[in-house]
């Protein structure tokens, strides 16, 4: 068979090359030699003798014989094939004889077989000796299985996911194209698809940025894309009652420019405006589609990564809907890691990564989310625990208080839930049938090999040597250069294996993002330095759909997957490798520790220790029993990373979220206020001045603005710390009409009022003020005012003015100017109070933050 020929020839070449290297005098490192008699050449001999049929080997010898020429290599090849064929024949005879005995004495027979193979390979080289001289709950501890509502009991959920950065599309994802298009993109797309196929879910919208920049495929500019589920059941009929999962692309930021995640921060509000309008429209449309009289609001608004966390917080606040958050890679941890590397100062790191924006956004997300989805326990205990808004022990105490119905004094922490991501099994799963692969080592002939195989194999002198595979964005933290050094400096590893580096897609390194270009340049420099030509593959292109084939090729050569990132928040590639029967070597920093506890399919290493990486790779590849055990374990346990399970768990959590009344919808009266018809709103925000000054400032502001030729499409809003009745008695005597304003933000932001005439005309009617109920419910949410009031009252008694021996309290509660959500304090002598900015009457109000 042509396919087998290729594999045999490749192994024969590897045997010849391994022998040659030994002649060259490169000795294995002491550590590796200490391991015993293993040699790469013997490994390949075993592979040929045990893996191929005697007739295939015979044909190979015939061919080698026919090609015989005076060249030394050909002569050696011919000799070797003859001997291998003979060895294989001997082995076959031996096995026949042993077959009956084996039934009775299996263990001894196994040993004999192994010894025989070893002897045979010794025999082969005999003539050439001269010349060649958690507790399962660790990962899933927060699982809700059993106690929570079953997802099947829910109905018609609308779920909104947000992921702002990178290139997001459902088909042929360009993972690794840049540092923003990686695991998170795959995660959110697969999650959206899986959720929409879950019982009870009606529609999932994944909101992202619309990209219309030149050099980017037009698909990223499409306003909406239906995501086809892995099972292919996405046609309207097959989806039945479900509307499906969609990517919705919202324009924001510069129209024709792709923005890296560090550059998105100033434009998030703009995204929120677009997203708000989409969600409102879609909720109403779903309400109509499924025959409800009211809009169907999202059950949750789920932000992915810090930037989308801010967007989700703003949307959940304005719509009064629950928020969930997934960090993906937390800023504090990244900052710590970069500081440890010592290459940049804190300021430089902030300049490059805008890390403080990211950390602040994560704090805000903690504050606004009801649920945070973590991939591992480590993420909660060692990463989130570093944030001001979360503390493991306090979170537990608060939860216990909530359960008892005790007051938490406004202190809140989101529920942390561990739900690891899944893998899409889809069409690939049948390839995991280990038995069939074992029985037939080459299931498909070479002509049917996936095209990407030849794209990779063309780099290698001995393409069937065990393949060490890395798949990672070309990003410094993925530590690809240490891997190349580990490989390049370990001669026995180089003899035994090849290295394949999948580092995204590129046209020209010079056109890549600086950071990615720097990684690629270092890798190529190292390949040159160690002269690794013929031993390392670094293909320029691969399609997303080809990634499973790449893992399979590595598994087929009995290779290993390697991820030695300095830190890995989760590591989707590790579960992808396991799913494709490929054992792993992974960083011991971060989630891989927990992944390996579940899968038990490889070894963990210190990513900074180059020798440890080389040793671990050598051990895994050369110890065939270990390799097979890891492969089997990975395949056996991979089902624990499943999207359907993830969704079941996730939805049961979402259903436990307390009901919140959506802010927009049924209250039509507010839509009729003038403010809803304006194109522009000018907010005059004044305080801390005398009454006269206040009036003068307001009047001046209005006059100046009127001189700008304003149309009716511009409205005014006045924002102060005053109560509505104080505002009324300020404006009217000064000759201003409350109806000159569209709204009043009063009591330091805790109330919003809309003025209007209660009669037909201004002359025969009275002005009334309608309270904004949506804003009220927004403030009410997690209102911790009582605790704060008690605290402030206690504090006020401690602020005293000293005159000789007498002490006099100078701050007092001011009930007259307080309201339900605004606490006012009167300050007798402002000079003694440094903390507050004082108002015109020496009164300060404060409202707890949401
Ligand atoms: O050239 C490449 C490089 C990567 N990938 C794919 O991109 C994904 C990479 O995912 P991952 O290994 O998880 O790395 P990151 O892109 O760094 O993803 C971030 O986000 C993930 C999802 O939360 C977490 O698992 C990671 O730890 C975190 O670093 C995988 O599906 C890869 O198969 C490619 O297809 N081609
Ligand atoms: O590149 P950083 O800062 O490490 O952040 C990682 C984030 O970027 C991505 O790698 C791109 O998808 C995400 O997967 C992840 O959330």
């Amino acid at each position: 068979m042509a396919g087998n020929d290729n594999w045999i020839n490749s192994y024969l070449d590897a045997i010849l090359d391994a022998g040659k290297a030994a002649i060259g005098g490169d000795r294995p490192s002491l550590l590796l030699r200490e391991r015993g008699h293993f040699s790469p050449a013997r490994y390949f001999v075993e592979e040929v003798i045990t893996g191929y049929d005697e007739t295939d080997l015979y044909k190979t010898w015939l061919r080698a014989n026919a090609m015989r020429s005076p060249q030394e290599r050909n002569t050696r090849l011919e000799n070797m094939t003859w001997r291998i064929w003979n060895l294989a024949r001997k082995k076959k005879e031996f096995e026949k004889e042993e077959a009956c005995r084996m039934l009775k004495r299996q263990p001894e027979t196994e040993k004999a077989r192994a010894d025989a193979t070893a002897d045979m390979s010794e025999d082969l080289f005999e003539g050439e000796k001269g010349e060649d001289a958690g507790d399962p709950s660790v990962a899933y501890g927060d699982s809700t299985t059993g106690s929570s509502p079953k997802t099947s009991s829910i109905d018609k959920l609308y779920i909104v996911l947000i992921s702002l950065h990178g290139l997001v599309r459902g088909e042929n994802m360009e993972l690794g194209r840049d540092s923003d298009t990686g695991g998170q993109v795959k995660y959110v797309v697969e999650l959206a698809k899986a959720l929409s196929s879950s019982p009870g879910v009606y529609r999932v919208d994944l909101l992202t940025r619309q990209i219309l920049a030149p050099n980017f495929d037009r698909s990223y500019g499409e306003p909406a894309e239906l995501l086809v589920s892995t099972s292919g059941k996405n046609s309207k009929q097959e989806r039945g009652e479900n509307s499906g999962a969609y990517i919705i692309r919202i324009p924001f930021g510069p129209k024709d420019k792709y923005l890296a995640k560090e550059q998105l921060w100033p434009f998030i509000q703009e995204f929120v405006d677009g997203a708000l309008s989409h969600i409102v429209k879609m909720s109403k449309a779903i309400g109509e589609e499924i025959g409800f009289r009211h809009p169907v609001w999202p059950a949750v608004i789920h932000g992915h990564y810090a930037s989308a966390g801010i967007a989700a917080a703003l949307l959940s606040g304005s719509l009064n809907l629950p928020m969930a958050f997934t960090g993906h890679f937390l800023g504090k941890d990244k900052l710590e890691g970069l500081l440890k590397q010592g290459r940049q100062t804190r300021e430089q790191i902030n300049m490059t990564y805008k890390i403080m924006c990211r950390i602040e956004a994560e704090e805000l997300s903690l504050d606004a989310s009801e649920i945070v989805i973590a991939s591992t326990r480590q993420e909660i205990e060692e990463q989130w625990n570093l944030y001001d808004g979360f503390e493991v022990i306090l979170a537990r105490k608060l939860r216990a208080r909530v359960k008892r119905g005790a007051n938490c004094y406004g202190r809140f922490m989101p529920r942390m839930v561990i739900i690891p991501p899944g893998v899409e099994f889809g069409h690939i799963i049948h390839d995991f049938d280990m038995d069939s692969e074992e029985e037939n080592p080459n299931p498909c002939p070479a002509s049917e090999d996936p095209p990407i195989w030849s794209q990779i194999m063309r780099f290698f002198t001995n393409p069937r040597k065990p393949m060490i595979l890395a798949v990672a964005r070309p990003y410094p933290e993925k530590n690809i250069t240490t891997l190349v050094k580990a490989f390049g400096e370990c001669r026995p590893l180089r003899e035994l294996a090849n290295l394949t580096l999948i580092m995204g897609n590129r046209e020209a390194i010079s056109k890549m993002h600086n950071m990615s270009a720097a990684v690629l340049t270092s890798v190529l420099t190292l390949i040159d330095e160690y002269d690794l030509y013929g031993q390392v593959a670094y293909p320029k292109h691969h399609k997303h759909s080809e990634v499973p084939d790449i893992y399979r090729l590595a598994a087929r050569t009995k290779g290993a997957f390697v991820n030695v990132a300095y830190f890995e928040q989760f590591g989707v590639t590790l579960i992808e490798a396991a799913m494709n029967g490929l054992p792993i070597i992974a960083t011991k920093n971060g989630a891989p520790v927990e992944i390996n506890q579940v899968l038990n399919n490889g070894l963990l290493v210190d990513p900074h220790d180059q020798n440890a990486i080389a040793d671990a790779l050598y051990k895994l590849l050369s110890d065939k029993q270990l390799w097979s055990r890891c492969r089997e374990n990975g395949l056996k346990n991979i089902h624990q990373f499943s999207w359907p399970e993830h969704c079941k768990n996730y939805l049961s959590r979402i259903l436990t979220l307390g009901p919140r009344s959506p802010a927009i919808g049924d209250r039509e009266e507010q839509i009729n206020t003038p403010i809803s018809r304006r194109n522009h709103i000018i907010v005059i925000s004044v305080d801390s001045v005398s009454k006269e000054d206040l009036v003068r400032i307001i009047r001046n502001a209005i006059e100046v603005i009127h001189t700008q030729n304003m149309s009716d499409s511009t409205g005014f809003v006045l924002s102060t710390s005053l109560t509505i009745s104080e505002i009324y008695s300020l404006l009217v005597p000064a000759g201003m009409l409350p109806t000159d304003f569209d709204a009043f933000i009063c009591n330091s932001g805790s109330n919003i009022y809309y003025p209007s005439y209660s009669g037909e005309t201004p002359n025969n009617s009275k002005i009334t003020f309608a309270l904004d109920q949506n804003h009220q419910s927004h403030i009410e949410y997690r209102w911790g005012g009582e605790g704060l009031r008690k605290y402030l009252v206690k504090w006020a008694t401690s602020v005293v003015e000293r005159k000789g021996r007498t002490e006099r309290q100078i701050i007092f509660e001011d009930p007259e100017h307080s309201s339900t959500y605004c606490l006012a304090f009167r300050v007798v002598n402002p000079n003694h109070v440094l903390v507050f900015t004082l108002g015109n009457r020496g009164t300060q109000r404060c409202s707890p933050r949401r």
Side-chain angles (χ1 to χ4, degrees):
M1 227 190 319
N4 281 351
D5 286 356
N6 287 339
W7 284 88
I8 294 168
N9 287 338
S10 180
Y11 281 125
L12 296 178
D13 270 347
I15 297 167
L16 289 176
D17 285 350
K20 219 172 41 200
I23 301 168
D26 283 304
R27 296 263 141 249
S29 79
L30 181 64
L31 208 97
L32 293 165
R33 273 192 289 129
E34 276 169 358
R35 291 230 170 88
H37 295 302
F38 177 86
S39 83
R42 182 193 288 193
Y43 175 95
F44 298 123
V45 172
E46 276 182 17
E47 279 305 297
V48 183
I49 293 177
T50 55
Y52 298 91
D53 192 68
E54 183 209 328
T55 26
D56 284 334
L57 294 173
Y58 174 65
K59 279 190 216 152
T60 310
W61 169 65
L62 285 182
R63 222 178 5 263
N65 200 8
M67 280 171 12
R68 193 173 185 172
S69 75
Q71 276 138 31
E72 194 230 354
R73 189 179 173 94
N74 284 355
T75 314
R76 288 178 63 217
L77 179 69
E78 195 267 327
N79 274 337
M80 198 169 65
T81 47
W82 182 82
R83 298 173 74 181
I84 286 184
W85 167 54
N86 265 302
L87 288 170
R89 265 190 344 166
K90 267 203 232 166
K91 179 173 158 261
K92 204 171 175 184
E93 282 164 19
F94 175 79
E95 278 173 353
K96 262 191 208 157
E97 283 170 19
E98 288 292 293
C100 350
R101 264 179 284 163
M102 261 173 72
L103 284 171
K104 288 184 201 150
R105 299 167 43 225
Q106 205 164 354
E108 290 99 306
T109 315
E110 269 301 307
K111 187 173 175 300
R113 198 183 68 85
D115 289 348
T117 310
D119 286 350
M120 285 186 233
S121 53
E122 288 297 346
D123 177 16
L124 176 78
F125 278 91
E126 211 174 49
E128 299 178 8
K129 264 181 187 156
E131 30 175 320
D132 283 342
D135 170 7
S137 67
V138 168
Y140 310 100
D142 241 346
S143 162
T144 55
T145 324
S147 57
S148 307
K150 289 273 173 287
T151 51
S152 52
S153 64
I154 45 164
D155 210 18
K156 321 269 186 225
L157 290 186
Y158 172 35
I159 291 173
V160 171
L161 309 177
I162 307 173
S163 180
L164 296 180
H165 65 263
L167 298 164
V168 186
R169 68 180 181 196
E171 293 298 309
N172 197 13
M173 289 179 227
E174 296 183 275
L175 300 182
R177 168 167 170 162
D178 66 9
S179 57
D180 289 0
T181 310
Q184 183 182 328
V185 171
K186 186 171 149 92
Y187 181 120
V188 290
V189 168
E190 290 185 358
L191 172 64
K193 288 197 239 171
L195 274 175
S196 75
S197 314
S198 303
V201 176
Y202 183 73
R203 177 176 169 119
V204 180
D205 279 344
L206 167 57
L207 310 187
T208 189
R209 179 162 185 249
Q210 184 184 44
I211 294 155
L212 294 161
N215 301 330
F216 288 85
D217 194 82
R218 282 170 47 188
S219 52
Y220 300 115
E222 289 299 326
E225 176 187 337
L226 171 66
L227 289 172
V228 179
S229 82
T230 333
S231 55
K233 290 190 178 170
N234 255 70
S235 78
K236 189 89 183 172
Q237 279 167 338
E238 282 170 313
R239 284 198 312 268
E241 283 300 291
N242 283 8
S243 164
Y246 295 80
I247 296 177
I248 302 295
R249 300 193 177 88
I250 311 265
F252 68 98
K255 242 189 162 48
D256 46 9
K257 210 170 155 210
Y258 176 67
L259 293 180
K261 59 177 170 282
E262 292 80 13
Q263 300 168 309
L264 285 176
W265 300 105
F267 307 107
I268 293 174
Q269 304 261 359
E270 200 184 329
F271 165 81
V272 170
D273 288 344
L276 194 61
S277 128
H278 169 80
I279 295 171
V280 172
K281 268 194 229 141
M282 188 47 65
S283 302
K284 288 182 181 166
I286 296 176
E288 277 164 29
E289 257 176 48
I290 59 183
F292 289 1
R293 278 198 316 118
H294 302 293
V296 173
W297 294 102
V300 68
I301 300 193
H302 188 149
H304 289 264
Y305 193 77
S307 51
I310 295 205
L314 292 173
L315 286 163
S316 113
S318 3
L319 290 165
N320 203 26
L321 295 171
M323 167 178 171
F325 183 64
T326 303
H328 289 280
F329 203 126
L330 300 188
K332 279 213 173 171
D333 228 85
K334 177 148 187 139
L335 175 63
E336 297 298 316
L338 290 168
L339 285 173
K340 257 190 222 152
Q341 284 173 32
R343 288 200 294 257
Q344 286 173 295
T345 63
R346 192 176 282 266
E347 288 66 36
Q348 287 166 332
I349 295 171
N350 195 32
M351 287 274 281
T352 318
Y353 298 99
K354 302 286 178 296
I355 207 87
M356 295 322 286
C357 281
R358 184 158 154 188
I359 293 172
E360 193 47 39
E362 285 157 349
E363 289 284 8
L364 178 74
S365 304
L366 277 176
D367 212 23
S369 302
E370 310 231 351
I371 285 187
V372 169
I373 307 292
S375 295
T376 58
R377 185 169 291 279
Q378 190 270 356
E379 181 182 338
I380 299 174
E381 291 177 355
E382 288 169 37
Q383 298 182 50
W384 280 119
N385 210 34
L386 301 174
Y387 284 74
D388 295 339
F390 185 77
E391 213 234 286
V392 173
I393 297 176
L394 189 55
R396 262 186 221 138
K397 285 186 180 161
L398 286 174
R399 222 168 41 236
R401 289 185 76 84
V402 172
K403 264 192 193 152
R404 291 205 309 271
N407 195 339
C408 291
Y409 302 107
R411 196 77 169 95
F412 168 83
M413 277 177 197
R415 187 107 167 84
M416 293 274 169
V417 188
I418 306 167
I419 320 182
V423 268
E424 274 189 350
F425 292 100
H427 57 280
I428 309 168
I429 190 80
H430 65 268
D431 287 337
F432 304 148
D433 189 344
M434 289 190 35
D435 291 341
S436 66
E437 207 163 80
E438 298 275 277
E439 276 164 21
N440 178 3
N442 192 18
C444 52
S447 56
E448 286 172 24
D449 284 348
I452 189 72
W453 285 21
S454 54
Q455 290 302 308
I456 293 173
M457 283 165 138
R458 75 195 162 98
F459 282 86
F460 298 130
T461 315
N462 305 133
R464 269 83 179 177
K465 276 161 78 167
M467 181 191 286
I468 299 168
L469 171 67
V471 180
R473 293 174 290 136
Y475 201 50
E477 277 79 64
K478 294 291 181 190
N479 197 21
I480 302 169
T481 46
T482 306
L483 171 64
V484 180
K485 283 185 197 158
F487 182 75
E489 287 183 18
C490 182
R491 176 63 63 183
L493 191 59
R494 286 170 61 171
E495 277 181 22
L496 176 63
N498 290 320
L499 175 65
T500 294
L501 303 171
I502 304 291
M503 301 172 289
N505 284 285
R506 61 186 178 273
E507 289 308 327
I509 295 178
S510 57
K511 289 191 190 138
M512 291 174 86
H513 183 281
N514 289 352
M515 242 184 263
S516 312
V519 172
L520 257 309
T521 309
S522 316
V523 167
L524 296 186
T525 310
L526 286 171
I527 290 174
D528 192 67
E529 204 171 302
Y530 294 116
D531 193 2
L532 296 176
Y533 297 101
Q535 294 174 316
V536 183
Y538 37 94
K540 271 168 86 110
H541 299 285
H542 68 280
K543 294 195 198 101
H544 175 59
S545 55
E546 290 173 327
V547 174
D549 291 330
I550 302 176
Y551 288 111
R552 280 180 45 229
L553 173 61
R556 176 72 184 83
T557 63
K558 301 206 171 117
F561 180 75
V562 59
N563 174 343
V564 285
Y566 291 122
F567 179 85
E568 198 59 81
Q569 177 92 13
F570 182 72
V572 170
T573 45
L574 298 173
I575 53 179
E576 289 171 347
M579 184 179 76
N580 288 287
L582 191 58
I584 60 159
I585 298 293
T587 174
K588 67 177 181 55
N589 296 339
V593 178
E594 281 174 50
I595 296 180
N596 202 41
Q597 274 165 6
V598 177
L599 294 179
N600 190 16
N601 69 333
L603 306 172
L604 299 172
V605 287
D606 175 355
H608 299 275
D609 186 344
Q610 185 181 310
N611 293 331
I613 297 172
D615 281 354
L617 281 166
Y618 197 80
K619 182 173 161 58
L620 182 59
L621 297 179
S622 58
D623 183 339
K624 289 186 178 176
Q625 283 182 354
L626 173 68
W627 187 90
S628 302
R629 226 174 26 247
C630 288
R631 172 186 158 94
E632 279 163 31
N633 287 347
L635 290 169
K636 194 172 71 203
N637 298 322
I638 190 64
H639 68 275
Q640 300 198 48
F641 296 92
S642 110
W643 280 121
E645 269 308 305
H646 179 109
C647 294
K648 215 159 88 188
N649 208 347
Y650 176 83
L651 290 169
S652 69
R653 293 295 179 170
I654 298 304
L655 287 178
T656 63
L657 301 179
R660 287 168 69 175
S661 53
I664 304 175
D666 299 338
R667 302 190 186 106
E668 293 299 330
E669 76 278 7
Q670 270 151 30
I671 290 165
N672 289 329
T673 61
I675 201 163
S676 61
R677 295 189 290 275
R678 306 291 190 198
N679 289 339
H680 301 100
I681 306 277
I682 292 169
V683 180
I684 303 170
S685 178
V686 272
D687 262 320
S688 309
V689 286
S690 71
K691 217 172 192 176
E692 294 70 34
D693 282 348
L694 201 53
V695 169
R696 194 169 41 78
I697 292 170
I698 297 170
R699 199 194 301 279
N700 285 351
I702 293 180
E703 276 168 14
V704 168
I705 296 159
H706 275 307
T707 58
Q708 310 289 311
N709 233 347
M710 269 184 18
S711 66
D712 264 5
S713 63
T714 304
F716 289 101
V717 169
L718 180 62
S719 170
T720 75
S721 67
L722 306 179
T723 63
I724 190 68
S725 59
E726 285 174 318
I727 288 176
Y728 187 85
S729 38
L730 184 83
L731 296 181
V732 176
M736 285 185 272
L737 279 175
T739 45
D740 289 342
F741 296 86
D742 285 353
F744 296 99
I745 301 172
C746 304
N747 302 95
S748 298
S750 61
N751 295 114
I752 299 179
Y753 289 95
Y754 302 98
S756 65
Y757 289 107
S758 58
E760 296 284 292
T761 64
N763 294 340
N764 70 4
S765 73
K766 220 163 90 242
I767 294 175
T768 56
F769 296 93
L771 181 66
D772 186 326
Q773 299 292 346
N774 296 328
H775 184 66
Q776 285 311 107
S777 61
H778 173 84
I779 304 258
E780 237 163 53
Y781 176 64
R782 285 195 208 147
W783 172 252
E786 191 44 32
L788 179 64
R789 195 187 72 79
K790 278 191 190 149
Y791 177 82
L792 287 174
V793 168
K794 201 167 147 203
W795 167 79
T797 59
S798 70
V799 184
V800 290
E801 183 185 33
R802 282 196 180 80
K803 272 200 184 137
R805 286 199 179 172
T806 52
E807 285 185 347
R808 198 163 62 101
Q809 185 174 341
I810 52 170
I811 303 181
F812 297 90
E813 207 180 349
D814 181 359
E816 195 194 329
H817 294 100
S818 297
S819 66
T820 319
Y821 302 114
C822 175
L823 310 172
F825 284 79
R826 189 166 48 80
V827 180
V828 177
N829 185 350
N831 296 331
H832 286 79
V833 185
L834 302 173
V835 218
F836 283 178
T837 318
L838 295 170
N840 56 330
R841 290 177 315 237
T843 297
Q844 179 60 45
R845 288 113 198 265
C846 39
S847 304
R849 162 166 96 119
R850 234 201 74 184

